[in-house]
Amino acid sequence: MKFSAQTATAALSCLALLCLALPVMAEPLTVPTVSVGLGKASKPGDVATVIQIFFLITILSLAPALLIMTTSFTRIVVVLSFLRGAIGTQQAPSNQIVIGLALFITFFVMSPVWQQVNTQAFRPYKAGEISQEQAMDRAVAPMRKFMLSQVREKDLALFLSLSKMPRPRNADEIPTLTIIPAFMISELQTAFQIGFLIYIPFLVVDMVVASVLMSMGMMMLPPVMISLPFKILLFILVDGWALVIGSIVKSFG
């Protein structure tokens, strides 16, 4: 049996790797262990650390809800859902694509706000220049400013009246828990307005196709089956994705 030079080289390489691995394999393998238990705290700082850990876990569990409630995600995902329904495609694009696109557009829209949070709150707190309470106050301030710039006065007045609190003298006196639901209602209102405008041209196409089919006597042929290609063609000709996404992003200006 003859061996080529490449085969011999590969065999020598495998032998060298095996020789290098033998000392490592000879040592006992250590597996780290993690234990969680309830015991007496030796100092007050231990209790504070545990409370901070539970607080961090709670914040992480609420992070998706905070992302939806305090950012531009709601308006974007609702408008994209309206767009898919107006065209008439049930699962094109799929829910994963719609949510992923909405997330990345949200990151794009919210990047100036998050940069302010990073420079004004996170970096000073990481450097030890400010306390945790000061960092939280500085982090909430840009988010409040963004939400107040998008919320409608009517929705904000509604929740202020429902909370039965005295009329605030300025925006700084409005509680954050009052701003968030008002912001959500305003985002839904704006998204439905944009969705109505999106539906109009596609509704016209459906009406024209239905009228043509009725005039031709094709009563049994579903108009949606004929109008769908024309709606897709119309959407492509007007560069619909760039038009819709650009309008959504500009609506936050």
Side-chain angles (χ1 to χ4, degrees):
M1 184 181 295
K2 296 182 181 180
F3 295 94
S4 62
Q6 295 179 352
T7 305
T9 303
L12 291 174
S13 301
C14 293
L15 182 60
L17 291 174
L18 181 60
C19 293
L20 292 174
L22 282 176
V24 178
M25 296 174 61
E27 298 179 358
L29 182 62
T30 59
V31 180
T33 59
V34 178
S35 61
V36 179
L38 295 176
K40 294 183 179 180
S42 59
K43 52 184 178 179
D46 296 338
V47 180
T49 303
V50 173
I51 294 175
Q52 290 178 359
I53 293 174
F54 279 107
F55 180 74
L56 179 61
I57 294 174
T58 304
I59 292 297
L60 291 177
S61 63
L62 294 177
L66 292 175
L67 176 65
I68 293 174
M69 291 187 297
T70 61
T71 63
S72 58
F73 179 81
T74 301
R75 184 188 305 185
I76 296 170
V77 74
V78 171
V79 170
L80 293 178
S81 300
F82 270 118
L83 175 62
R84 185 174 62 180
I87 296 176
T89 54
Q90 299 299 325
Q91 294 296 330
S94 62
N95 292 330
Q96 291 83 357
I97 295 177
V98 170
I99 294 175
L101 180 60
L103 279 175
F104 280 99
I105 298 175
T106 301
F107 295 154
F108 177 79
V109 173
M110 300 298 298
S111 59
V113 179
W114 289 341
Q115 287 178 2
Q116 293 181 9
V117 174
N118 185 31
T119 56
Q120 298 177 8
F122 180 72
R123 289 184 180 178
Y125 175 71
K126 186 177 180 182
E129 299 175 357
I130 58 177
S131 63
Q132 184 176 1
E133 292 77 9
Q134 292 175 338
M136 289 295 296
D137 294 338
R138 293 187 181 185
V140 170
M143 300 299 298
R144 285 172 53 92
K145 182 179 179 181
F146 171 78
M147 289 188 289
L148 287 172
S149 65
Q150 302 298 325
V151 71
R152 301 189 308 167
E153 295 183 1
K154 182 178 180 180
D155 297 329
L156 191 59
L158 171 64
F159 283 94
L160 286 173
S161 63
L162 292 176
S163 63
K164 297 180 180 179
M165 60 176 298
R167 183 179 181 88
R169 291 173 295 181
N170 50 45
D172 296 334
E173 295 183 357
I174 303 175
T176 304
L177 294 179
T178 303
I179 298 176
I180 292 177
F183 171 75
M184 286 286 294
I185 297 298
S186 298
E187 289 295 285
L188 290 174
Q189 179 72 16
T190 305
F192 273 68
Q193 292 175 354
I194 298 175
F196 172 76
L197 296 177
I198 289 175
Y199 257 94
I200 291 177
F202 298 109
L203 181 61
V204 171
V205 174
D206 287 333
M207 294 176 62
V208 170
V209 171
S211 300
V212 172
L213 292 178
M214 290 182 63
S215 63
M216 296 176 63
M218 299 181 180
M219 303 295 183
M220 303 301 295
L221 185 62
V224 178
M225 184 181 300
I226 305 300
S227 63
L228 179 59
F230 290 99
K231 290 191 289 186
I232 294 176
L233 179 62
L234 173 65
F235 190 71
I236 293 173
L237 291 177
V238 299
D239 197 7
W241 286 113
L243 183 62
V244 172
I245 299 301
S247 300
I248 295 175
V249 174
K250 291 178 182 178
S251 65
F252 292 98

Coordinates of all heavy atoms in Angstrom, one line a residue, residues 201-216 223 226-227 230:
P201 N -55.3 53.9 -1.4 CA -55.0 53.5 -2.8 C -55.3 52.0 -3.1 O -55.8 51.7 -4.2 CB -53.5 53.8 -3.0 CG -53.0 53.8 -1.6 CD -54.1 54.3 -0.7
F202 N -55.1 51.1 -2.2 CA -55.4 49.7 -2.4 C -56.9 49.5 -2.4 O -57.3 48.6 -3.2 CB -54.7 48.9 -1.3 CG -53.2 49.0 -1.3 CD1 -52.6 49.7 -0.3 CD2 -52.4 48.4 -2.3 CE1 -51.2 49.8 -0.2 CE2 -51.1 48.5 -2.3 CZ -50.4 49.2 -1.3
L203 N -57.6 50.2 -1.7 CA -59.1 50.1 -1.7 C -59.6 50.5 -3.1 O -60.6 49.9 -3.6 CB -59.7 50.9 -0.6 CG -61.2 50.9 -0.5 CD1 -61.7 49.5 -0.2 CD2 -61.7 51.8 0.6
V204 N -59.0 51.6 -3.7 CA -59.4 52.0 -5.0 C -59.2 50.9 -6.0 O -60.0 50.7 -6.9 CB -58.7 53.3 -5.4 CG1 -58.9 53.7 -6.8 CG2 -59.1 54.4 -4.5
V205 N -58.0 50.2 -5.9 CA -57.7 49.1 -6.8 C -58.7 48.0 -6.7 O -59.2 47.5 -7.7 CB -56.3 48.6 -6.6 CG1 -56.0 47.4 -7.4 CG2 -55.3 49.7 -6.9
D206 N -59.1 47.7 -5.5 CA -60.1 46.6 -5.2 C -61.5 47.0 -5.8 O -62.1 46.2 -6.5 CB -60.3 46.4 -3.7 CG -59.1 45.6 -3.2 OD1 -58.4 44.9 -3.9 OD2 -58.8 45.8 -1.9
M207 N -61.9 48.3 -5.7 CA -63.1 48.7 -6.2 C -63.1 48.7 -7.8 O -64.1 48.3 -8.4 CB -63.5 50.1 -5.7 CG -63.7 50.2 -4.2 SD -64.0 51.9 -3.6 CE -65.5 52.3 -4.5
V208 N -62.0 49.1 -8.4 CA -62.0 49.1 -9.8 C -62.0 47.7 -10.4 O -62.8 47.4 -11.3 CB -60.7 49.8 -10.3 CG1 -60.5 49.6 -11.8 CG2 -60.7 51.3 -10.0
V209 N -61.3 46.8 -9.8 CA -61.3 45.4 -10.2 C -62.6 44.8 -10.0 O -63.1 44.0 -10.9 CB -60.2 44.6 -9.5 CG1 -60.3 43.1 -9.7 CG2 -58.8 45.1 -9.8
A210 N -63.3 45.1 -8.9 CA -64.6 44.5 -8.6 C -65.6 45.0 -9.7 O -66.5 44.3 -10.1 CB -65.1 44.8 -7.2
S211 N -65.5 46.3 -10.0 CA -66.5 46.9 -11.0 C -66.2 46.3 -12.4 O -67.2 46.0 -13.1 CB -66.3 48.4 -11.1 OG -66.5 49.0 -9.8
V212 N -65.0 46.1 -12.7 CA -64.7 45.5 -14.1 C -65.2 44.0 -14.1 O -65.8 43.6 -15.1 CB -63.2 45.5 -14.3 CG1 -62.8 44.7 -15.6 CG2 -62.7 46.9 -14.5
L213 N -65.0 43.3 -13.1 CA -65.5 41.9 -13.0 C -67.0 41.8 -13.1 O -67.6 41.0 -13.8 CB -65.0 41.2 -11.8 CG -63.5 40.9 -11.7 CD1 -63.1 40.2 -10.4 CD2 -63.0 40.0 -12.9
M214 N -67.7 42.7 -12.4 CA -69.2 42.8 -12.4 C -69.7 43.1 -13.8 O -70.7 42.6 -14.3 CB -69.7 43.7 -11.4 CG -69.5 43.3 -10.0 SD -70.2 44.4 -8.8 CE -72.0 44.4 -9.2
S215 N -69.0 44.1 -14.5 CA -69.4 44.5 -15.8 C -69.2 43.4 -16.8 O -69.9 43.3 -17.8 CB -68.7 45.7 -16.3 OG -67.3 45.5 -16.3
M216 N -68.2 42.5 -16.6 CA -68.0 41.4 -17.5 C -68.8 40.1 -17.1 O -68.7 39.1 -17.8 CB -66.5 41.0 -17.4 CG -65.6 42.1 -17.9 SD -63.8 41.7 -17.8 CE -63.7 40.3 -18.8
P223 N -62.8 39.0 -6.5 CA -62.0 40.1 -6.9 C -60.6 40.2 -6.3 O -59.7 40.7 -6.9 CB -62.9 41.3 -6.5 CG -64.2 40.8 -6.3 CD -64.1 39.3 -5.8
I226 N -57.8 38.7 -8.4 CA -57.4 39.5 -9.5 C -56.7 40.8 -9.1 O -55.7 41.2 -9.7 CB -58.6 39.8 -10.4 CG1 -59.3 38.6 -10.8 CG2 -58.1 40.6 -11.7 CD1 -58.5 37.6 -11.6
S227 N -57.2 41.4 -8.0 CA -56.6 42.7 -7.6 C -55.3 42.5 -6.9 O -54.5 43.5 -6.9 CB -57.6 43.4 -6.7 OG -57.8 42.6 -5.5
F230 N -52.2 43.4 -9.1 CA -52.2 44.8 -9.4 C -51.8 45.6 -8.2 O -51.1 46.6 -8.3 CB -53.6 45.2 -9.9 CG -53.9 44.7 -11.3 CD1 -54.8 43.6 -11.4 CD2 -53.4 45.3 -12.4 CE1 -55.1 43.1 -12.6 CE2 -53.7 44.8 -13.7 CZ -54.6 43.7 -13.8

